[in-house]
Amino acid sequence: MNSVKPGLFITVEGVEGAGKSTQLSLILKKLESAGIEIISTREPGGTPFAESVRELLLENRDEKVDQITEMLLMFAARSQHLSQLIKPAIAEGKWVVCDRFTDATYAYQGGGRNLGFELVSQLEQLVQGDFRPDKTFYLDLSVEQGMQRVVARGEKDRFEREELDFFEKVRSAYLRLVESNPTRYVVIDASQSLESVQKDLSLALDKLISSHV
Ligand code: Z5A
């Protein structure tokens, strides 16, 4: 029987302005040059239906968005994304690189919105069962530095309009997650120059590739 070795599921997380988008292209290039077949995707989003949910979630609007509604929509989009794109690709042996995943729900809804980790964990169990990322690159940066970079970027979405205190809670939730599972996370100091961040990421990717290819 010709069985395919499943691919890896890699996620990239960070606070605002940490440089996820900037660094994702390096990650993809590095994996491609190692001959790995990859799918690059993001959350919320990743499939046409889930991208429609993303628009609903990020759009600035007058109506207050209920926090539970927001969290359920994150998981609704995720459920679609998992079944239509992520799981089939991994089963075909591809590596999936995802810009944010459930850790962002722990950080933004569980931490930032004060919903707590327990509720997020219950929905995670419902939607994902025991499916978790194999490796997570967490780009860490102080909220002040992140805000300075985001301001320089221009137009803000519904999340980026939150107060500093919200983002402090998001960052401390991420740090709690890292502490609770140090083997899954690779923490990258995103306050460094672009070149130094890339160097650290590159070393971590070399390690990951050599242990899995
Ligand atoms: N969200 C949620 O609440 N719950 C969930 O479950 C999920 C998501 C999945 C959309 O995500 C929003 O959804 C997000 C959380 C919420 N909230 N917000 N906002 P997103 O990932 O699409 O949005 P984002 O966080 O704004 O991601 P981003 O575009 O990847 O931004 P970034 O990490 O800030 O990266 P960047 O654009 O590459 O960098 C920002 C600027 O800094 C840019 O001008 C760079 O040139 C500069 N930069 C980057 N690195 C450096 C270094 N090292 N030095 C100097 N300048 C730098």
Side-chain angles (χ1 to χ4, degrees), residues 15-22 43-44 54 58 74 78 99-101 104-105 108-109 149 153 157 159-160 190 192-194 197:
V15 289
E16 256 59 37
K20 282 183 302 95
S21 302
T22 313
E43 288 216 344
R54 179 189 177 89
L58 298 194
M74 291 293 175
R78 182 162 300 134
D99 184 348
R100 295 199 190 278
F101 192 64
T105 318
Y108 284 79
Q109 282 67 49
R149 291 184 190 170
R153 196 170 51 184
D157 65 33
F159 288 94
E160 288 165 345
Q192 308 174 90
S193 68
L194 267 179
V197 174

Side-chain angles (χ1 to χ4, degrees), residues 20 41 46 66 82 90 109 119 123 129 141 185 194 210:
K20 282 183 302 95
T41 187
D66 175 76
L82 277 167
I90 288 173
Q109 282 67 49
L119 261 185
L123 290 168
L141 185 68
Y185 296 94
L194 267 179
S210 65

Side-chain angles (χ1 to χ4, degrees), residues 79-154:
S79 184
Q80 185 72 7
H81 192 199
L82 277 167
S83 67
Q84 301 305 303
L85 183 79
I86 299 174
K87 285 187 172 177
I90 288 173
E92 285 167 14
K94 295 172 187 152
W95 287 30
V96 175
V97 179
C98 192
D99 184 348
R100 295 199 190 278
F101 192 64
T102 307
D103 290 333
T105 318
Y106 278 101
Y108 284 79
Q109 282 67 49
R113 302 274 192 237
N114 292 316
L115 290 174
F117 279 14
E118 185 49 39
L119 261 185
V120 181
S121 165
Q122 286 171 12
L123 290 168
E124 178 182 47
Q125 197 54 40
L126 172 75
V127 168
Q128 296 168 223
D130 60 4
F131 184 87
R132 300 288 181 276
D134 295 294
K135 199 50 91 183
T136 297
F137 294 98
Y138 168 61
L139 304 181
D140 187 48
L141 185 68
S142 75
V143 172
E144 289 75 18
Q145 279 175 292
M147 286 297 124
Q148 283 164 10
R149 291 184 190 170
V150 169
V151 166
R153 196 170 51 184

Side-chain angles (χ1 to χ4, degrees), residues 2 9 11 29 34 45-46 64 69 89 114 125 130 135 157 164 188 190 192 196 198:
N2 188 14
F9 182 42
T11 58
K29 245 190 250 158
K64 183 175 168 12
T69 307
N114 292 316
Q125 197 54 40
D130 60 4
K135 199 50 91 183
D157 65 33
L164 274 187
I188 306 281
Q192 308 174 90
S196 303
Q198 287 187 343

